[in-house]
Amino acid sequence: ESNATKPRGALIVLEGLDRSGKSTQCAKLLSFLEGSGHPTELWRFPDRETSVGQMISAYLSNKSQLDDHTIHLLFSANRWEKRSLMEEKLKSGTTLIVDRYSYSGVAFSSAKGLGIEWCKAPEIGLLAPDSVLYLDISPERAAERGGYGDERYERVEFQRKVADFYQTLRDSSWKIIDAGEAMEEVEKKIQEVALDRVEECAKGKPLSLLWS
Ligand code: NYM
Ligand code: MG
């Protein structure tokens, strides 16, 4: 069967502050979709496995210093290096759950003071998500959740700025999920939205590109 006749997979992105519960919910969504018979993979950005990803990881753990613009472009390059594989997977019918995407890229760098349009520019032409689920939690509540690690950006004042930029970036298509609710409630809401999108994409919703 050629890809042209195959139902395509959905590109489902989860966004939110550090400690908003994204990684837990991504894992739960993966087993839900797989259990419902939909071929699914869980991806995350930064993808720390690639050589660009290793530079990012060293920066985040304070093992290296980089200019703000430079690290921004590395995060973007890390998405570009996965773009063709992403398209291939989607077209061959695999749904991708992605833990952080371009919105993290823009929100975190803008919070450091870089211009929002400058931050968006290198993301233009990447695949647009079919769904963005935003796990909404206050920076204070997030920090209470077992606290932060030692990575860069994991400070309440900074996360507050990131939350403001997420707010600027969001549009009416985003699903805002109250991440302060019980984990099972959050899980159920995400499942509903994701299943809808998977079915919509299987029916032929075309892929589109950021940032238009
Ligand atoms: N981050 C993540 C960015 O600053 N730009 C990006 O493009 C992406 C994808 O990296 N604090 C930040 C957000 C996080 C940090 O992500 C590491 P994670 O999901 O904690 O591994
Ligand atoms: Mg983190």
Side-chain angles (χ1 to χ4, degrees):
E1 197 182 12
S2 83
N3 284 346
T5 59
K6 253 189 198 165
R8 79 163 172 92
L11 180 55
I12 298 171
V13 168
L14 271 78
E15 287 283 2
L17 299 180
D18 286 295
R19 313 293 299 158
S20 57
K22 283 186 313 312
S23 303
T24 306
Q25 290 297 339
C26 281
K28 287 174 178 293
L29 182 58
L30 173 65
S31 39
F32 171 76
L33 290 177
E34 280 181 329
S36 321
H38 300 287
T40 307
E41 287 183 16
L42 172 51
W43 286 24
R44 66 179 311 142
F45 290 109
D47 175 346
R48 303 187 193 217
E49 304 289 304
T50 70
S51 51
V52 172
Q54 285 166 23
M55 292 174 72
I56 293 170
S57 192
Y59 172 81
L60 288 171
S61 56
N62 289 298
K63 292 191 186 88
S64 73
Q65 311 301 322
L66 290 170
D67 163 76
D68 290 343
H69 303 80
T70 309
I71 183 64
H72 180 78
L73 294 172
L74 288 178
F75 273 114
S76 185
N78 189 229
R79 284 182 279 280
W80 275 102
E81 64 184 341
K82 306 294 287 194
R83 189 199 180 286
S84 59
L85 184 60
M86 193 177 249
E87 185 168 353
E88 223 174 88
K89 294 274 180 187
L90 293 169
K91 287 185 169 166
S92 70
T94 301
T95 284
L96 300 178
I97 301 165
V98 183
D99 185 345
R100 296 192 181 285
Y101 198 54
S102 302
Y103 312 96
S104 284
V106 177
F108 280 79
S109 292
S110 298
K112 295 157 106 175
L114 299 185
I116 196 161
E117 293 307 322
W118 189 90
C119 290
K120 285 168 97 167
E123 308 295 317
I124 296 172
L126 288 171
L127 300 175
D130 296 298
S131 181
V132 180
L133 293 142
Y134 182 75
L135 297 199
D136 194 18
I137 194 165
S138 75
E140 292 76 16
R141 288 238 12 222
E144 284 167 12
R145 293 185 161 178
Y148 295 126
D150 315 315
E151 289 211 324
R152 250 181 239 265
Y153 307 145
E154 296 181 342
R155 287 175 291 114
V156 177
E157 325 79 70
F158 186 76
Q159 298 278 324
R160 204 171 288 132
K161 290 186 195 160
V162 173
D164 288 344
F165 281 102
Y166 268 129
Q167 183 101 21
T168 304
L169 285 173
R170 71 166 72 148
D171 64 37
S172 58
S173 70
W174 286 32
K175 296 289 176 219
I176 312 299
I177 311 272
D178 181 356
E181 285 188 11
M183 206 153 68
E184 295 71 24
E185 287 306 307
V186 176
E187 186 182 348
K188 256 193 278 168
K189 286 186 179 151
I190 292 176
Q191 287 176 355
E192 260 173 50
V193 178
L195 210 47
D196 262 14
R197 282 304 104 75
V198 168
E199 282 160 8
E200 194 178 54
C201 292
K203 282 183 200 143
K205 174 179 182 278
L207 269 172
S208 60
L209 304 180
L210 287 179
W211 211 299
S212 48

